[in-house]
Amino acid sequence: MELTTVWFVIIAFLWTSYFFLEGFDFGVGMLMPVLARDDVERRVVINTIGPVWDGNEVWFIVAGAATFAAFPEWYATLFSGFYLPLLAILLALIIRGVAFEYRGKRDDARWRARWDRAIFWGSLVPAFVWGVAFSNIVRGVPLNASHDYAGTLLDLLNPYALLGGLATTSLFVLHGAVFLALKTSGEIRFRARRVAGIAVVAAIAAGGSFLLITQIQHGKPVTWLTAGGAAAGLLLAAAANRRGREGWAFIGTGAAIVLAVVTLFTALFPDVMPSTLGSGGLTTDNAASSDCTLKIMTWVAAAFTPIVMIYQGWTYWVFRKRIGTSHIPAAPKKKPEPVR
């Protein structure tokens, strides 16, 4: 196997891992206003992802860095042509991260409410825009002979891409609801299961339609298997959630996200950014770095990727127990003002 193909597979693995892990993070953030009734319950919801959300975002950083190093032409074209959507994602992630850290810094209901809204929008915007971005990558964008983006922002907001955004948003909401049902106890757990039962219908409708159109327009024989596997994962999640088997439901939603992303990358290969103008498209060959660079990167990835995966797996094992309102300490009572 050529090194260009190896690194296409590695980058696909990095993005797939990111969407699997960050997907339920985004879902939890979007569902917090729906599932939490008071501040204690909101703290429960946030604490389910508190120890892991920043580690999940590392996969995005590594995926972007790997794309820059292995396929610099792809990185340059992607980040210049998709400048505004990617800027929106980065700003949303920054605001979301700040909200997690600053929400509890003041004992003020209005202060916390503002940061709660930041968590919601900081989760919704990336969930939707990532779907729009990757849909356009698979569909193709207007590139000239110099591999420069020759379109506008409106070209990215086509019906297929918007459907892709709805698909990722609905999948992440379902993934987050199942994760909350798996990680919480008490009333929040049962609310999450009820929401998951509704969200799975939206995910099947939006995600199924998107994958079917993708398969018809860009698919290959093998992607019928991966797309069918994604649909089977959603059906497994629906059945398991109905029976209260949160672990199996999470496996189902995770499998659906993984196989959906695999479908997109498999349909894309060997292109990395097709052109709708008939020329100037980028492939794994004309977008790649030198063989020497790819060889060095391969050794580095082989040495450090297992370490990162073991460490992150250990983190999830340490924080594996359920969380409920009984685990949230009561807020300290304010001392009465002295009488003057």
Side-chain angles (χ1 to χ4, degrees), residues 217-232:
Q217 295 183 350
H218 311 286
K220 301 171 183 176
V222 67
T223 53
W224 281 110
L225 296 176
T226 55

Side-chain angles (χ1 to χ4, degrees), residues 95-166:
I95 293 171
R96 180 172 172 265
V98 172
F100 283 133
E101 298 296 334
Y102 276 76
R103 182 187 183 277
K105 297 298 183 183
R106 287 175 56 182
D107 185 18
D108 182 354
R110 288 181 296 179
W111 169 271
R112 291 191 294 266
R114 294 189 190 101
W115 291 118
D116 289 343
R117 288 193 291 271
I119 292 172
F120 172 79
W121 289 107
S123 301
L124 175 61
V125 170
F128 181 78
V129 178
W130 276 130
V132 172
F134 271 84
S135 300
N136 277 296
I137 292 174
V138 174
R139 174 182 176 269
V141 293
L143 300 180
N144 60 28
S146 301
H147 305 152
D148 295 325
Y149 182 72
T152 65
L153 178 62
L154 292 178
D155 292 319
L156 301 178
L157 301 178
N158 54 80
Y160 173 73
L162 295 176
L163 178 60
L166 292 176

Side-chain angles (χ1 to χ4, degrees), residues 42-305:
R42 284 189 284 272
R43 290 171 65 188
V44 170
V45 171
I46 292 173
N47 285 349
T48 61
I49 59 174
V52 297
W53 69 266
D54 47 355
N56 294 343
E57 288 190 355
V58 170
W59 291 91
F60 166 45
I61 298 171
V62 175
T67 304
F68 170 76
F71 299 102
E73 287 278 355
W74 183 14
Y75 180 92
T77 302
L78 176 64
F79 277 77
S80 59
F82 290 40
Y83 180 82
L84 289 178
L86 293 175
L87 178 62
I89 290 174
L90 290 174
L91 289 176
L93 292 178
I94 291 170
I95 293 171
R96 180 172 172 265
V98 172
F100 283 133
E101 298 296 334
Y102 276 76
R103 182 187 183 277
K105 297 298 183 183
R106 287 175 56 182
D107 185 18
D108 182 354
R110 288 181 296 179
W111 169 271
R112 291 191 294 266
R114 294 189 190 101
W115 291 118
D116 289 343
R117 288 193 291 271
I119 292 172
F120 172 79
W121 289 107
S123 301
L124 175 61
V125 170
F128 181 78
V129 178
W130 276 130
V132 172
F134 271 84
S135 300
N136 277 296
I137 292 174
V138 174
R139 174 182 176 269
V141 293
L143 300 180
N144 60 28
S146 301
H147 305 152
D148 295 325
Y149 182 72
T152 65
L153 178 62
L154 292 178
D155 292 319
L156 301 178
L157 301 178
N158 54 80
Y160 173 73
L162 295 176
L163 178 60
L166 292 176
T168 53
T169 303
S170 59
L171 280 171
F172 292 165
V173 167
L174 172 61
H175 201 35
V178 171
F179 177 78
L180 282 171
L182 180 65
K183 280 290 294 178
T184 59
S185 59
E187 186 61 28
I188 300 177
R189 175 187 178 187
F190 296 109
R191 286 187 212 135
R193 282 170 52 184
R194 288 195 294 269
V195 169
I198 300 171
V200 73
V201 177
I204 290 174
S209 300
F210 174 71
L211 287 179
L212 180 60
I213 294 173
T214 300
Q215 183 61 31
I216 293 172
Q217 295 183 350
H218 311 286
K220 301 171 183 176
V222 67
T223 53
W224 281 110
L225 296 176
T226 55
L234 290 178
L235 294 177
L236 170 63
N241 181 70
R242 183 181 294 272
R243 291 170 174 78
R245 304 293 297 273
E246 291 101 346
W248 281 105
F250 186 73
I251 291 173
T253 57
I257 291 174
V258 167
L259 291 172
V261 179
V262 169
T263 299
L264 295 182
F265 274 96
T266 305
L268 181 63
F269 184 80
D271 295 322
V272 293
M273 186 166 281
S275 174
T276 57
L277 300 181
S279 62
L282 290 170
T283 67
T284 54
D285 289 330
N286 64 14
S289 294
S290 66
D291 285 342
C292 180
T293 300
L294 295 179
K295 287 178 182 178
I296 295 173
M297 291 176 60
T298 302
W299 284 110
V300 172
F304 288 100
T305 302

